[in-house]
Amino acid sequence: IAIGIGICTGEVVAGNIGSPKRFDYTAIGDHVNISARLESATKQYGVDILVSEFTVAALTGDHLLREIDLIRVKGKNRPVRVYEAMNHCSDADSPQFQRFLELYTLGLAAKRRRAWAEAINTFEQALKIRPRDKTTQIHRDRCRNYAESPPPEDWDGVWTMASK
């Protein structure tokens, strides 16, 4: 079974909501909406679990996380940094996996500096280790597009999600 999970930590309103004739137990609030958007984004990025920066801030202990993107979800102006939970990866302790994460992180940093050629090259190196990593492919392809048609000078590196 392949499902995507979106996790966001924060205050919500939970309980029986509705009228006496029809009510359901539910949760509402910004963090619920962000969780739903992250669940949807797992498909776009090809990952199993996405967690928000709010959840990462609340974590204790050691967790293997990879920053995925800085996204603006539909209906919100403030971007949210999102991460992939990777503790479940069977090869997480291997030197190749660690090298992949290092290259991916360097590629993301180059992208944010607008160093398109460097970012593309670094993402390509990462893809030699994990050729099916959809997130790395997405960032490489975005950099290729930006190299051909650069974003405006006030570009903030945020990816705006157009759909829910």
Side-chain angles (χ1 to χ4, degrees), residues 4 20 26 29 36-37 49 51-52 57 60 65 74 79 108 119 136 139 152:
T26 192
R37 302 301 183 265
I49 304 168
V51 296
S52 72
T60 59
L65 301 169
K74 187 169 176 75
L108 204 55
T136 305
H139 285 300

Side-chain angles (χ1 to χ4, degrees), residues 21-58:
K21 291 185 178 183
R22 181 175 178 206
F23 65 90
D24 290 313
Y25 188 85
T26 192
I28 58 173
D30 281 345
H31 296 284
V32 175
N33 293 338
I34 292 171
S35 292
R37 302 301 183 265
L38 295 182
E39 182 274 329
S40 178
T42 61
K43 297 169 195 70
Q44 178 182 347
Y45 288 101
V47 300
D48 296 325
I49 304 168
L50 283 177
V51 296
S52 72
E53 63 186 61
F54 310 113
T55 300
V56 171

